[in-house]
Amino acid sequence: MVQLSSLAAALAVGLLPNLAVAAGLHEAAVAKGKLYFGTATDNGELSDSPYLKQLGNTADFGQITPSNSMKWESTEPSQNSFSFAGGDAIADLAKTNGQKLRCHALVWHSQLPNWVSSGTWTNETLVAAMKNHVTKVATHYKGRCYAWDVVNEALNEDGTYRDSPFLKHIGEAYLPIAFAAAAAADPTAKLYYNDYNIESPGPKATAAAKIVKLIQSYGVKIDGVGMQAHLIVGSSPSESALSSTLSSYTSLGVEAAYTELDIRLKLPSTDAQLAQQSNDYRAVAAACIKNTDCVGITIWDWTDKYSWIPDVFPGEGAACPWDEKLVKKPAYAGLLAGLGGGSSTTTTTAGTTMTTTTSSAPPTSTGVAQKWEQCGGLHWTGPTVCVSGTTCQKQNDYYSQCL
């Protein structure tokens, strides 16, 4: 901290540096050398004005992924008849906002139109149909996608290949064939294999690494592994397990990203669950920050209002960093802490050394932190007294919270 006399001297010569406000999630990620922090979105949500305003907040979101509108059933509902309106709307929005676009997903066993899932195929005819789909869709978005999830969820939990029309009629070679078609259609896009439950060591993660090696063995381009990271509060992988698995992929010469992050809990949520969720989010962000080849994190929509979780996992939800009213939850502060959202700057002026600190959340105007707000941690300069009925509880070295 600065002595009062030194502060006055600095003010007198007009050289006091501006105090930085807290960084958003994307700003914090970029400050640590990452390409983006982003979110998924879907077309039906874009008519919600308050939602759309935050979606375009590039301090938090430097990247967008369309949840559904680039999948096979949306882009090629009947054979060789293509529709890009939904995907274009989100691609155009990303361009307008100056956000990167992650494109999702070219080949997947689910959300296939009936003509694919129930068609009568031979190896030759399905290879031709798959290559045509990948080529037409990737060509349409050529130059617009930072990355494509080329093949999505090809694995069972035990590491064997998931049953699909592609596996049945083509065999495992459908993976390198799809990647080769995508590389030819859009040479500048990063090409990813994307799956869930591959964030920590186990047979599925081992099999995901084998997919990278398989594609490489064909001499075909693969640039990254996407770990969806649909996690569960209290049973999410530790930071060390996350880091170990990240390294198992990046050691193969590819980059990695968390591509669909959310962390669900049993409803109704409790203070203890939300605190644990915050720490689980922090661990994911911190693991990515520590690995040079982890390029970014995408949450699978940013608000509980539009989360997919309650529809698929009855009795569970509250998985996103913002609640249904678009208010930040403790998970937001956990992410910011994991991303290293606080920093300090030292400036020397006329023999006076001054250190200014940016915080991972702005101080409240009253000097009292409200429930859920930050109340301490490394470099924290905001309030340390909690509102009546709550106490300041340490979550980690970077973040204490009023609970």
Side-chain angles (χ1 to χ4, degrees), residues 50 58 77 94 170 175 225 255-256 292 301 325:
T58 54
I170 305 173
L175 289 112
V225 174
E255 64 185 42
T292 304
D301 226 319
K325 296 181 180 179

Side-chain angles (χ1 to χ4, degrees), residues 151 172 175-177 179-180 192-193 210-222:
V151 176
E172 70 174 6
L175 289 112
I177 291 170
F179 273 80
Y192 272 65
Y193 174 71
K210 287 181 179 178
I211 284 177
V212 175
K213 296 174 186 176
L214 170 73
I215 295 167
Q216 291 173 334
S217 74
Y218 276 73
V220 173
K221 173 184 172 180
I222 178 170

Side-chain angles (χ1 to χ4, degrees), residues 80-275:
N80 213 32
S81 178
F82 290 87
S83 175
F84 297 112
D88 287 351
I90 294 175
D92 291 344
L93 178 64
K95 182 178 180 180
T96 297
N97 292 341
Q99 296 164 313
K100 292 184 184 298
L101 182 70
R102 285 198 87 258
C103 296
H104 173 83
L106 290 170
V107 179
W108 185 31
H109 72 279
S110 186
Q111 291 182 245
L112 288 170
N114 188 64
W115 70 267
V116 179
S117 58
S118 301
T120 302
W121 300 107
T122 65
N123 177 290
E124 183 180 10
T125 59
L126 189 53
V127 166
M130 183 184 72
K131 288 174 68 175
N132 183 63
H133 176 79
V134 171
T135 299
K136 292 288 179 63
V137 177
T139 298
H140 178 81
Y141 291 105
K142 182 177 181 179
R144 305 184 71 179
C145 304
Y146 167 72
W148 264 110
D149 292 328
V150 179
V151 176
N152 195 47
E153 300 177 6
L155 296 169
N156 294 313
E157 293 305 301
D158 64 359
T160 59
Y161 283 117
R162 181 191 296 274
D163 186 34
S164 72
F166 310 106
L167 183 68
K168 179 179 180 180
H169 297 287
I170 305 173
E172 70 174 6
Y174 86 86
L175 289 112
I177 291 170
F179 273 80
D186 189 355
T188 64
K190 300 287 187 178
L191 306 184
Y192 272 65
Y193 174 71
N194 193 57
D195 213 329
Y196 63 92
N197 288 351
I198 61 167
E199 301 82 22
S200 57
K204 197 170 185 180
T206 300
K210 287 181 179 178
I211 284 177
V212 175
K213 296 174 186 176
L214 170 73
I215 295 167
Q216 291 173 334
S217 74
Y218 276 73
V220 173
K221 173 184 172 180
I222 178 170
D223 298 293
V225 174
M227 299 160 290
Q228 293 181 12
H230 296 299
L231 306 177
I232 303 172
V233 166
S235 60
S236 297
S238 66
E239 184 181 330
S240 62
L242 292 163
S243 294
S244 173
T245 309
L246 262 173
S247 296
S248 74
Y249 302 133
T250 59
S251 66
L252 300 176
V254 297
E255 64 185 42
Y258 293 104
T259 54
E260 304 184 17
L261 174 63
D262 51 29
I263 308 181
R264 64 186 185 269
L265 50 78
K266 294 284 187 181
L267 297 173
S269 62
T270 65
D271 290 356
Q273 285 178 309
L274 293 173

Side-chain angles (χ1 to χ4, degrees), residues 351-377:
T352 302
T353 299
M354 300 178 293
T355 300
T356 61
T357 304
T358 65
S359 63
S360 59
T364 59
S365 58
T366 62
V368 176
Q370 302 302 302
K371 187 175 183 180
W372 310 125
E373 290 184 342
Q374 185 170 359
C375 54

